[in-house]
Amino acid sequence: MSDDALERLKQRQRPVVPVRDTSLTPINLDNLQSKSPDISTSRNLEAQNSTSIIESIPIEPIQTKQSTLRLEAQLSDRLLSVCRENGISREVLLEALFQHYESDPDAWAAILKEAKRKGEHRQHIANYKRAQSMMQRFEK
């Protein structure tokens, strides 16, 4: 860019914009409800119905702990499909499976046997990858 063009850009006057009022104003809920009585009436009925349903169900608080699961890709897809079909989360399904099979000694033994086999296989793969990585570092 030439010096002349650069100077013209520096000298250019920008338009002046008036300052806007950015303060927050409270919304008057009475005005909103008077404009749409049907909506407010239906919301009140929905709130009353949901409150009565909630009050009739005893709620026991639970403590949860967030964790990350690494699953085989195909198994993860199948698990997600089952959960979507039944409208449940993966976590809830795993909790229910664990609780059910924990109370069934035969099923529990079979599951633990399979889990140990899969764990050994994954450990073997991890060791192999680690050895490959170390070999590549020493070759350099």
Side-chain angles (χ1 to χ4, degrees), residues 39-57:
I39 293 173
S40 63
T41 305
S42 65
R43 285 184 183 159
N44 287 339
L45 290 175
E46 288 174 8
Q48 288 172 354
N49 290 339
S50 63
T51 303
S52 62
I53 291 170
I54 291 172
E55 290 172 353
S56 65
I57 301 171

Side-chain angles (χ1 to χ4, degrees), residues 3 9 19 29-30 53 56 66 80 92 100 116 120-121 125:
D3 289 335
L9 283 174
V19 178
L29 295 177
D30 294 334
I53 291 170
S56 65
Q66 185 173 355
L80 187 59
V92 170
H100 174 76
K116 288 177 182 178
E120 288 173 2
H121 180 69
I125 291 170

